[in-house]
Amino acid sequence: MNKTPTPKGFKFAVHKAYFRKGERNDLALVVSEYPAQVSALFTANLFPAAPVLVAKEYLALNQSVRAVIVNTGSANACTGQEGIDNCKKSTQLIAENLGIKASEVLPASTGVIGLQMDMPGWEKAAPLICQKLGTAELEDFAEATMTTDAFPKFAGMNLKLKNGTVCLAGVAKGAGMICPNMATMLSTVLCDAQIDKKDWDLIFKQAVDQSFNRVSVDGDTSTNDTIYSLVNGASGVKPEKDELELLQNALTKILKELAYLLVKDGEGATKVLFIKVSGTKDNAEAEKVARTVGHSQLVKTAMYGKDANWGRIVAAAGRSGVNFDPNALRLVFCGVELFKNSQPTKLDFDSLLKKPLEETDLMIELFLGDGDGHYELLASDLTHRYIDINADYRS
Amino acid sequence: MNKTPTPKGFKFAVHKAYFRKGERNDLALVVSEYPAQVSALFTANLFPAAPVLVAKEYLALNQSVRAVIVNTGSANACTGQEGIDNCKKSTQLIAENLGIKASEVLPASTGVIGLQMDMPGWEKAAPLICQKLGTAELEDFAEATMTTDAFPKFAGMNLKLKNGTVCLAGVAKGAGMICPNMATMLSTVLCDAQIDKKDWDLIFKQAVDQSFNRVSVDGDTSTNDTIYSLVNGASGVKPEKDELELLQNALTKILKELAYLLVKDGEGATKVLFIKVSGTKDNAEAEKVARTVGHSQLVKTAMYGKDANWGRIVAAAGRSGVNFDPNALRLVFCGVELFKNSQPTKLDFDSLLKKPLEETDLMIELFLGDGDGHYELLASDLTHRYIDINADYRS
């Protein structure tokens, strides 16, 4: 396997701090050699976890940061003032060992809600993981942030510009509680270009909107959803103004790849549904229909069962609350037109769809009229394994 | 087992017409000896099934009807003009055999979407079921309308009034695709009181609002949701004006019982969650929070796993879109206070909840502030069996 391209000037470390049961490392650190400009997005949940609150406080103090520390085991959410104090303490422990300020260390946590962090464990782990800095790769970082994830998620690419080559890479974790509203589970994106903060903010926001904000596993927006993007200038390459779009396209590509992997690894998922809705009055209507279809338990289980039960898709669109002309609805599933003019087409869809339904990626296209609105959502199916995982998470 | 009280002047018949695979009867008929006033509510789905469209047409013609005919196997939804023609033909076949008008026969269908009805089967079945009229009971009627239901659902009671005794009874079917928005799956309610249509309409609407409109199995509102209520006056007893409230309470009680049974028999359900939300600005806000919690796959799977993972309940409330003060939230689960002032209480909830979590009925109480808003929703859990049933429905 080729090594994922990794931006210059970032070092990684991972550690087993016994915060989470199991064999894997459960603490992950990335440090930038130079102050890195940062853009971030967080959960819209009314109960943001302590690390979300602390990170927002730190980002109000600093334009740049030096590190991101991610722990699993405890989500440090719904933990009150004690949780906030613990979170700050954890960043302080890392900062001391790196010789930087606590507010230059961005925290992220994932795991059980309501469980306080193991602070004696942090006291022990902080010096050890900082000593190990530089001994891990991007892939190890991704793996150490996993909880119920089945595989680590990372992507990276080099981008040739007029003044030289820059590199972008990202990692993400999160298989359940995934329906980001404003940000996503935990993701860290790194880039070594030289770029103005306000340009990077815009590029980042647009790329997230095209990727993470368009996936759904179970409709549950977590208390901890966080995405950090650090850009440290270590390549020495400054994109020209007319190259910012290239950079944005590259970042969007990486985040889309990560978003796809998140859905593919949706807890117990066996399918990735590409739900494309178009022809509505506006994009918001298309999104509403796409999310209703993508969240429908009946659609999700039919896809898991490799059952071309298209009636469930039409019924979900019909209860979305969007007021379209039912006679206008046309459904194309895996390239086969199944429904139009308020009734099924006469195609032998069971035999036509037998093979496509064996694939992982399933395309659901809904055309709802002449409007310009459109939206694409990636959603997972709903499986026995999802129930296994979530009926037995804490125990 | 005592026979369910059954209103006077109604006769039942059931028949196996081979519309649906399996051993059970799949055609159910109830006929009133006298013209019965009728109130009805239907699905809000944009793709109402043919029987919904036809029933609405018939009810615009008549103030009273004589019969309800329910078939399983085909939902006769998304079937275009052919489906509508077939539906009308089916009511005509029943009407001819009963010597009444087609528009006095209300149709209801449940089963696979997009499948046309078996009209030769109807030609054969119609005379046979009409010949059998009077040979079946309310319970048989309930059973013959079942699809994936695990047990028949019926309830009835006698109500003593000043002028004599009236009787109310109801049946319901439907285990999946349950999240009625305006009506519910299929339900037929019968009453033998003498009552003005406009009084009955009001009583019926209010009773449905307190019962069927407050249950959720999977959030999927069907194309076929229908509830008919027929009142035929056969008891000869007319409630006094000041007794209408008694009648309404009785009807509400019966419909609540049916609603509870629907959730209990939610496809594969093992738990009934009573989700009570209060303290919001208004009832609509409380409903939004209750539905977000009740639809949360993570909450539903935790309940199935008998896991007091209350963080998922708090997180669901926090992403509901309702803007309450997070510090005000108080969560009481099965009588145990788990969360307040933004953090868990110090109770040993795992041991306190071990026994309550073994019960079928689980009480989730969320207090969100000082407002007058409140709402109660009944929801099922999400289980392996749900996946079994729905990943393998058509095949």
Side-chain angles (χ1 to χ4, degrees):
Chain A
M1 198 173 76
N2 290 333
K3 191 174 163 309
T4 314
T6 305
K8 292 198 178 84
F10 290 100
K11 285 185 179 162
F12 303 92
V14 295
H15 185 65
K16 172 135 196 67
Y18 299 94
F19 292 151
R20 184 173 188 275
K21 60 181 182 182
E23 291 302 304
R24 273 202 311 265
N25 291 308
D26 47 17
L27 194 58
L29 176 68
V30 55
V31 177
S32 172
E33 293 176 51
Y34 315 97
Q37 289 171 350
V38 56
S39 295
L41 282 167
F42 299 98
T43 180
N45 197 299
L46 276 187
F47 295 91
V52 171
L53 296 169
V54 171
K56 283 181 176 174
E57 190 183 321
Y58 287 178
L59 290 173
L61 298 173
N62 305 313
Q63 286 272 340
S64 64
V65 299
R66 290 290 303 283
V68 175
I69 181 81
V70 184
N71 73 278
T72 69
S74 159
N76 200 2
C78 298
T79 45
Q81 188 59 45
E82 187 182 342
I84 292 173
D85 295 343
N86 285 344
C87 179
K88 285 187 178 171
K89 179 73 186 167
S90 73
T91 60
Q92 208 178 324
L93 287 166
I94 297 294
E96 278 166 13
N97 281 282
L98 294 173
I100 59 177
K101 289 186 292 181
S103 65
E104 291 178 304
V105 180
L106 294 174
S109 300
T110 174
V112 179
I113 295 178
L115 189 69
Q116 295 292 358
M117 293 211 295
D118 165 17
M119 295 318 292
W122 273 96
E123 300 264 4
K124 245 186 285 176
L128 296 174
I129 194 169
C130 291
Q131 279 161 27
K132 289 201 226 170
L133 196 65
T135 61
E137 308 278 356
L138 183 81
E139 293 86 339
D140 305 312
F141 181 90
E143 190 168 24
T145 66
M146 287 163 62
T147 55
T148 54
D149 305 60
F151 54 82
K153 297 156 195 75
F154 49 83
M157 66 184 285
N158 290 311
L159 179 66
K160 231 173 175 158
L161 300 174
K162 290 175 209 161
N163 301 325
T165 298
V166 299
C167 181
L168 304 100
V171 303
K173 73 77 44 190
M177 233 188 203
I178 291 185
C179 183
N181 195 6
M182 199 175 96
T184 182
M185 49 317 339
L186 300 186
S187 176
T188 305
V189 179
L190 308 172
C191 178
D192 57 15
Q194 281 191 353
I195 184 170
D196 287 345
K197 169 133 174 53
K198 92 175 180 308
D199 287 335
W200 182 247
D201 283 349
L202 193 67
I203 284 174
F204 172 68
K205 202 177 165 313
Q206 293 185 347
V208 170
D209 187 52
Q210 293 298 316
S211 54
F212 285 130
N213 280 350
R214 295 173 183 236
V215 301
S216 169
V217 170
D218 55 16
D220 274 294
T221 307
S222 145
T223 50
N224 289 57
D225 291 345
T226 298
I227 171 165
Y228 293 130
S229 69
L230 278 61
V231 53
N232 68 0
S235 67
V237 176
K238 190 174 166 62
E240 303 281 339
K241 271 286 164 199
D242 65 357
E243 290 178 320
L244 291 178
E245 203 182 331
L246 289 178
L247 197 64
Q248 184 178 316
N249 292 345
L251 185 62
T252 303
K253 199 173 167 211
I254 286 174
L255 297 193
K256 276 196 166 176
E257 171 69 15
L258 292 174
Y260 173 83
L261 292 173
L262 282 168
V263 176
K264 191 171 174 185
D265 189 19
E267 288 179 334
T270 65
K271 302 289 183 193
V272 178
L273 317 180
F274 289 75
I275 303 167
K276 289 190 181 189
V277 176
S278 61
T280 50
K281 210 178 65 212
D282 53 34
N283 292 351
E285 284 197 352
E287 177 174 356
K288 204 169 172 185
V289 173
R291 288 193 182 271
T292 306
V293 173
H295 291 178
S296 163
Q297 289 183 24
L298 288 171
V299 172
K300 284 168 173 292
T301 45
M303 297 301 105
Y304 170 52
K306 300 175 186 173
D307 180 0
N309 198 335
W310 56 266
R312 295 180 179 181
I313 299 170
V314 173
R319 70 168 169 87
S320 65
V322 172
N323 195 18
F324 58 86
D325 172 13
N327 290 313
L329 182 142
R330 205 159 63 82
L331 169 64
V332 179
F333 181 68
C334 297
V336 179
E337 187 172 59
L338 295 182
F339 187 80
K340 67 175 171 183
N341 299 327
S342 298
Q343 55 193 309
T345 57
K346 300 289 179 193
L347 296 172
D348 178 8
F349 59 86
D350 272 323
S351 75
L352 284 169
L353 288 171
K354 199 168 166 26
K355 217 169 148 189
L357 277 164
E358 296 295 324
E359 304 292 325
T360 300
D361 296 350
L362 301 178
M363 188 72 73
I364 297 174
E365 292 170 275
L366 281 162
F367 304 90
L368 301 184
D370 299 330
D372 292 330
H374 60 93
Y375 196 82
E376 182 175 346
L377 181 77
L378 264 55
S380 58
D381 58 347
L382 178 58
T383 70
H384 287 105
R385 184 82 189 114
Y386 180 91
I387 311 285
D388 289 339
I389 294 170
N390 283 297
D392 191 40
Y393 178 50
R394 283 193 332 151
S395 31
Chain B
M1 196 174 75
N2 290 334
K3 190 174 164 307
T4 313
T6 305
K8 294 198 177 85
F10 291 101
K11 286 184 176 161
F12 304 91
V14 295
H15 185 65
K16 172 135 195 68
Y18 300 92
F19 291 151
R20 186 173 187 274
K21 60 181 181 181
E23 292 303 303
R24 274 203 309 265
N25 290 308
D26 47 18
L27 193 59
L29 175 68
V30 55
V31 177
S32 173
E33 293 177 50
Y34 315 97
Q37 289 171 349
V38 57
S39 294
L41 281 167
F42 299 99
T43 181
N45 198 298
L46 276 186
F47 295 91
V52 171
L53 296 169
V54 170
K56 284 181 177 176
E57 190 183 322
Y58 287 178
L59 290 173
L61 298 173
N62 305 313
Q63 287 271 340
S64 64
V65 299
R66 290 291 303 282
V68 175
I69 181 82
V70 184
N71 75 277
T72 69
S74 159
N76 200 1
C78 297
T79 44
Q81 188 58 45
E82 187 181 341
I84 292 172
D85 294 344
N86 286 344
C87 178
K88 287 188 177 170
K89 178 73 186 168
S90 72
T91 60
Q92 208 178 325
L93 288 166
I94 296 295
E96 277 167 14
N97 282 282
L98 294 173
I100 59 177
K101 288 187 293 182
S103 63
E104 291 179 304
V105 180
L106 294 174
S109 300
T110 174
V112 179
I113 296 177
L115 189 70
Q116 296 292 357
M117 294 210 295
D118 163 19
M119 295 318 292
W122 273 96
E123 300 265 4
K124 245 185 287 175
L128 296 174
I129 193 167
C130 291
Q131 279 162 25
K132 290 200 225 171
L133 197 63
T135 62
E137 308 279 356
L138 182 81
E139 293 86 339
D140 305 311
F141 181 89
E143 190 168 24
T145 67
M146 287 164 61
T147 54
T148 56
D149 305 60
F151 53 83
K153 297 156 196 75
F154 47 84
M157 66 184 285
N158 290 311
L159 177 68
K160 229 174 178 158
L161 299 174
K162 291 175 206 160
N163 302 325
T165 297
V166 300
C167 180
L168 304 100
V171 303
K173 71 77 45 190
M177 234 191 202
I178 292 185
C179 181
N181 196 7
M182 198 174 96
T184 184
M185 48 318 341
L186 300 187
S187 176
T188 305
V189 180
L190 309 172
C191 178
D192 57 15
Q194 280 190 356
I195 183 169
D196 287 345
K197 168 133 174 53
K198 96 176 175 308
D199 287 333
W200 182 248
D201 283 348
L202 193 66
I203 284 174
F204 171 68
K205 203 177 164 312
Q206 293 184 348
V208 170
D209 187 51
Q210 293 298 315
S211 55
F212 285 130
N213 279 352
R214 295 173 184 236
V215 302
S216 170
V217 170
D218 56 14
D220 274 293
T221 307
S222 144
T223 50
N224 289 58
D225 292 345
T226 297
I227 170 164
Y228 293 130
S229 69
L230 277 61
V231 54
N232 69 358
S235 67
V237 176
K238 191 174 163 63
E240 303 281 341
K241 269 288 165 197
D242 64 357
E243 290 178 321
L244 291 177
E245 203 182 330
L246 289 177
L247 197 65
Q248 183 177 316
N249 291 346
L251 184 62
T252 303
K253 199 173 165 209
I254 286 175
L255 297 193
K256 275 195 167 179
E257 171 71 14
L258 292 174
Y260 173 83
L261 293 173
L262 282 169
V263 175
K264 192 172 174 184
D265 190 19
E267 287 179 336
T270 65
K271 302 288 182 194
V272 178
L273 317 180
F274 289 75
I275 303 168
K276 288 190 180 188
V277 177
S278 61
T280 49
K281 210 176 66 212
D282 53 34
N283 293 351
E285 284 197 351
E287 177 174 355
K288 203 168 173 187
V289 173
R291 288 193 183 272
T292 306
V293 173
H295 291 178
S296 163
Q297 288 184 24
L298 288 171
V299 172
K300 285 168 173 290
T301 45
M303 298 300 104
Y304 170 52
K306 300 175 186 173
D307 180 0
N309 197 336
W310 54 268
R312 294 179 179 179
I313 300 170
V314 173
R319 71 169 169 85
S320 66
V322 173
N323 196 18
F324 58 86
D325 171 13
N327 289 313
L329 181 142
R330 205 158 63 82
L331 169 64
V332 178
F333 181 69
C334 297
V336 180
E337 187 173 57
L338 295 182
F339 188 78
K340 68 174 169 183
N341 299 326
S342 297
Q343 53 193 311
T345 58
K346 301 291 177 188
L347 297 171
D348 178 10
F349 59 84
D350 271 324
S351 76
L352 284 168
L353 289 170
K354 199 169 165 28
K355 218 170 148 190
L357 277 164
E358 296 295 324
E359 304 292 325
T360 300
D361 296 351
L362 302 178
M363 188 73 75
I364 297 173
E365 292 170 276
L366 280 162
F367 304 91
L368 301 184
D370 299 329
D372 292 331
H374 61 92
Y375 195 82
E376 182 174 347
L377 181 78
L378 265 54
S380 58
D381 58 347
L382 177 59
T383 70
H384 287 105
R385 184 85 188 112
Y386 180 92
I387 310 284
D388 289 340
I389 294 169
N390 284 298
D392 190 40
Y393 178 51
R394 283 192 333 150
S395 31

